Amino acid sequence: MVTAAQPLSPAADPARRLPAVRHLGPNWYACVMGTAIVGTAGAALPWQASGLRAVCTAVWALSLALLAVLLVARSLHWRHHRDQARAHLLDPTAAPFYGCLSMALLAVGGGALTVGRDWLGTPAAVALDAVLFTAGTVVGLAAAVAVPYLMAVRHRTAPEQASPVWLLPLVAPMVSAAVGPLLVPHLPAGQPRETLLLACVALFGVSLLATLVTLPLIFGRLLTGGPLPLALTPSLFLVLGPLGQSTTAVGKFADVAPGVVPAPYAGGFEVLAVLYGVPVMGFALLWLCLAVAHVVRARREGMGFSMTWWSFTFPVGTCVTGAEALARHTGLAVYDGLSVVLYAGLVTAWAVAAAHTARGLVSGALLAGPRPAPAAPRSATARTR
């Protein structure tokens, strides 16, 4: 006797269990990164307005809350929608965003010592940063290996598909290199401090060399393949991430090196902060102008809001911290001014992205699944005479 197939119950159908998190991808961690950098970059500006530090601390606290919510939501996503989570890993446009988890952990952890200690106290801030730095570094190194491996053996990408998004898992170790030195003074003197500092230098090298072999592919694709699709155009700002973050990192090395490494090396870090940071920041400004021109063009052609707009936040924030580092180590007022101008742009971009994201969450548009492609019209054969 043949019986009709019974429909799946809501509990058995993966798509009907917690549908709000089914399409919650790793790209959402960019909200945490962009929010955290607003707080940490603002606290180090050369000119501090009254109440600015308190506002920056509140913004960092918001990033901490967003991180906690997203960690829970992404855990539910993996538990109830494992098929979709695997699909993200096997999608060459989504897999690189797994680097954002690492950078979100690191950005919030670094902010704990930069501004969060005002509210948490130094011991609690150090403990929180140590946990988040360790977790973020491990996740970042795993992503830096796993994502390029998947791209090589599973994704089958073509040269014309090169995208700035490819940099996301590669820049994560650079974020570790930039925030790790904050923990150095809180370790016992001697080998523990020197080991952490040189480990951060090694992470700097991992990310820098990986970026140097990937960036030509992206630049070449842009010059020979034409502009990126409209929705992907904001991702051009992602190139600023390794540039600004590496400038920040060498500045942090120079800040903590005295007394941690022998005198000749400490002086070498001071030299590196200037001789590396100045030309790299120059190229970052060149790329910023190029990216802005592409975004203006895309906007005129109808580019609407998407989560890629968060690319306007964290990468620009790293240029703010990079300019702040150069101001400290060169004493030039021009870098003070540059950091303030870039920070104004960062706050504006964050406000716009946050407002659109909040609106999309309330309407449900941002958590909805991708729209199915329209069916192709049936071909018809015309009779000829």
Side-chain angles (χ1 to χ4, degrees):
M1 180 178 181
V2 179
T3 58
Q6 296 296 321
L8 289 173
S9 67
D13 184 2
R16 298 181 67 180
R17 291 198 298 261
L18 292 176
V21 300
R22 178 166 178 78
H23 299 285
L24 187 75
N27 60 317
W28 277 83
Y29 286 112
C31 303
V32 178
M33 299 159 51
T35 303
I37 199 73
V38 170
T40 55
L45 288 174
W47 302 304
Q48 291 288 310
S50 177
L52 177 60
R53 186 173 178 88
V55 172
C56 290
T57 306
V59 173
W60 170 82
L62 174 61
S63 73
L64 177 61
L66 289 174
L67 176 63
V69 170
L70 273 174
L71 287 174
V72 172
R74 287 284 298 162
S75 298
L76 293 173
H77 172 83
W78 269 94
R79 179 179 179 182
H80 296 288
H81 303 287
R82 203 162 295 174
D83 61 321
Q84 189 69 18
R86 291 196 187 100
H88 287 157
L89 277 173
L90 298 177
D91 182 353
T93 63
F97 284 98
Y98 273 89
C100 290
L101 168 58
S102 166
M103 291 186 280
L105 294 169
L106 293 164
V108 174
L113 274 180
T114 305
V115 291
R117 63 183 179 181
D118 293 353
W119 291 0
L120 299 177
T122 298
V126 170
L128 178 60
D129 187 19
V131 171
L132 294 181
F133 171 76
T134 302
T137 300
V138 171
V139 171
L141 288 173
V145 174
V147 174
Y149 175 80
L150 287 173
M151 292 176 68
V153 302
R154 298 294 298 271
H155 291 170
R156 298 293 186 270
T157 53
E160 60 270 16
Q161 294 175 290
S163 160
V165 173
W166 289 8
L167 293 172
L168 287 172
L170 305 179
V171 75
M174 188 65 79
V175 182
S176 292
V179 302
L182 295 172
L183 286 168
V184 170
H186 300 281
L187 292 177
Q191 290 221 3
R193 292 185 181 183
E194 186 174 358
T195 299
L196 178 56
L197 176 57
L198 294 186
C200 291
V201 176
L203 290 167
F204 170 87
V206 167
S207 182
L208 178 64
L209 295 176
T211 298
L212 289 178
V213 299
T214 305
L215 189 55
L217 299 175
I218 299 168
F219 197 30
R221 152 66 183 86
L222 192 63
L223 294 181
T224 61
L228 295 176
L230 295 184
L232 199 57
T233 301
S235 69
L236 287 171
F237 277 72
L238 294 177
V239 175
L240 298 175
L243 303 175
Q245 199 67 275
S246 61
T247 303
T248 303
V250 294
K252 294 290 186 183
F253 299 160
D255 290 341
V256 302
V260 175
V261 294
Y265 301 115
F269 279 122
E270 184 71 32
V271 171
L272 180 65
V274 176
L275 294 188
Y276 174 89
V278 171
V280 171
M281 183 56 67
F283 180 68
L285 294 177
L286 169 67
W287 190 274
L288 176 61
C289 294
L290 178 65
V292 167
H294 276 267
V295 168
V296 169
R297 171 194 167 277
R299 189 66 173 157
R300 287 176 176 172
E301 294 195 2
M303 179 188 74
F305 174 75
S306 68
M307 289 299 289
T308 56
W309 280 34
W310 282 97
S311 303
F312 300 142
T313 58
F314 188 78
V316 174
T318 67
C319 291
V320 176
T321 57
E324 291 168 347
L326 286 173
R328 289 196 308 273
H329 293 286
T330 65
L332 295 178
V334 66
Y335 287 115
D336 287 333
L338 177 62
S339 64
V340 172
V341 170
L342 290 175
Y343 187 72
L346 167 64
V347 171
T348 302
W350 177 82
V352 171
H356 280 283
T357 302
R359 188 179 301 122
L361 283 173
V362 171
S363 68
L366 288 180
L367 293 176
R371 296 179 181 178
R378 283 189 305 176
S379 60
T381 305
R383 181 180 298 176
T384 57
R385 306 181 72 178

